[in-house]
Amino acid sequence: MKTIKRVDLAKQWKKEKFNLLPLIIKTLESGEYVGSKTINILEKNIANYCGTRFAVCTNSGTDSLTLALFLLGVKKGDEVITAPNSFIASAATIAHLGAKPVFADVKDDQLIDPKEIEKKITKKTKAIMVVHLSGRIADMKSIKLISKKFKIPIIEDAAQAIGSKYYGKKSGSLSEIGCFSAHPLKNLNACGDSGFVTTNDAKYHKKLKTLINHGLEDRNMSKTFAYVSRMDALQATILNYRLKNLDHKIKQRRKVASLYFKKLRDLPIKLPYENKGEYNSYHLFVIQLKKRNELQKYLMKNNIETGVHYPIPIHLQKASKYLNYKIGSFPITEKQTKTILSLPINENLTISQINYICKKIREFFNEK
Ligand SMILES: *Cc1c(COP(=O)(O)O)cnc(C)c1O
């Protein structure tokens, strides 16, 4: 039996090839590879999709975060509050600008806990970087109140949450700046590194357009030493095409999720039930259970690939050593690193595959 993969990019290409290849050829034949019209079109489409006034294409999700922090003036001596259970890029971008990543523990649902954020605020806090992990939206109502109270801007790390909604509003439109990744493994994916930033602020937008291109205001004049983080026309061509199918893809993922909910609800595992006002795009379907390692092995033995996002929290990475966090600094995050398991979820899973996965999970509990 063939392994049920969590992600199958070759299959995605096979399905799209007939329609997408001619568009790629057209872009190659245009001779415009960087800074082309395709980029402007994608920026309009993304802004439209996310419900923001502007979007700016970048080279990666990591660059999007760096640019957002730089835009807010984050520098040496500042602190930025973020979650310890994210992909390392969230904290890495803060550290790279010379600022200190200050972690705030998460809740049961893996999302940053507003109460913990408030406890971590100091005079040095320059921004709050929330992470919409696995496609779930953080508790933005509470976090916005904190942001208002202390006059500290919010950045959304929405790398895993394109198309997710919170009381009807899309991720990336819920704060000052939204940061996205279009890495091949994300829900809206390019065939290489890519990302984008969303904002409603015209000043931020104008500045961002120069920051991605050496700070150049025109061909020869720069006011700020900056970055080079331009998306290329090939990736933009692919993303313009795939953006059209994104809502369908999310609907398919939500169907898979609803089957999991239906078939696994009576088992001794914690399922990612949606919070009030939440519309999850299911970048990942993360369950929590005590016997995580055993179940993961059992499923692998039965040709079902699962994942752990993420096995080592950021505060316990070697790179974080200088921050002096210890085991026990963030108990909920640490507990979850041992209990979380990402089940296969994608738009290509068939009903019989989902049934098979659920059957094997049930079998595991009956056998043990
Ligand atoms: C993928 C990801 C990033 C980084 O995006 P890249 O495009 O790989 O640089 C940042 N934060 C989170 C939460 C991610 O999942």
Side-chain angles (χ1 to χ4, degrees), residues 46 49-50 158-164 171 180 187-188 196 246 250 281:
I46 293 280
Y49 183 83
C50 291
Q160 300 189 3
I162 179 106
S164 293
S171 70
F180 293 88
N187 282 14
L188 174 64
F196 35 88
L246 181 61
I250 292 173
S281 60

Side-chain angles (χ1 to χ4, degrees), residues 60-62 65 86-87 89-90 131 157 159-160 181 183 186 194 310:
S60 69
T62 306
L65 292 168
S86 182
F87 180 56
S90 318
V131 182
D157 179 345
Q160 300 189 3
S181 163
H183 181 278
K186 312 292 187 195
S194 289
Y310 296 93

Side-chain angles (χ1 to χ4, degrees), residues 6-24:
R6 284 201 312 105
V7 192
D8 192 342
L9 297 177
K11 194 164 178 183
Q12 182 184 10
W13 171 248
K14 208 169 154 190
K15 276 171 109 180
E16 297 170 335
K17 189 175 168 184
F18 183 78
N19 291 318
L20 185 49
L21 194 57
L23 301 177
I24 290 175

Side-chain angles (χ1 to χ4, degrees), residues 45-63:
N45 289 341
I46 293 280
N48 211 4
Y49 183 83
C50 291
T52 55
R53 285 180 67 202
F54 309 102
V56 175
C57 292
T58 69
N59 215 301
S60 69
T62 306
D63 280 1

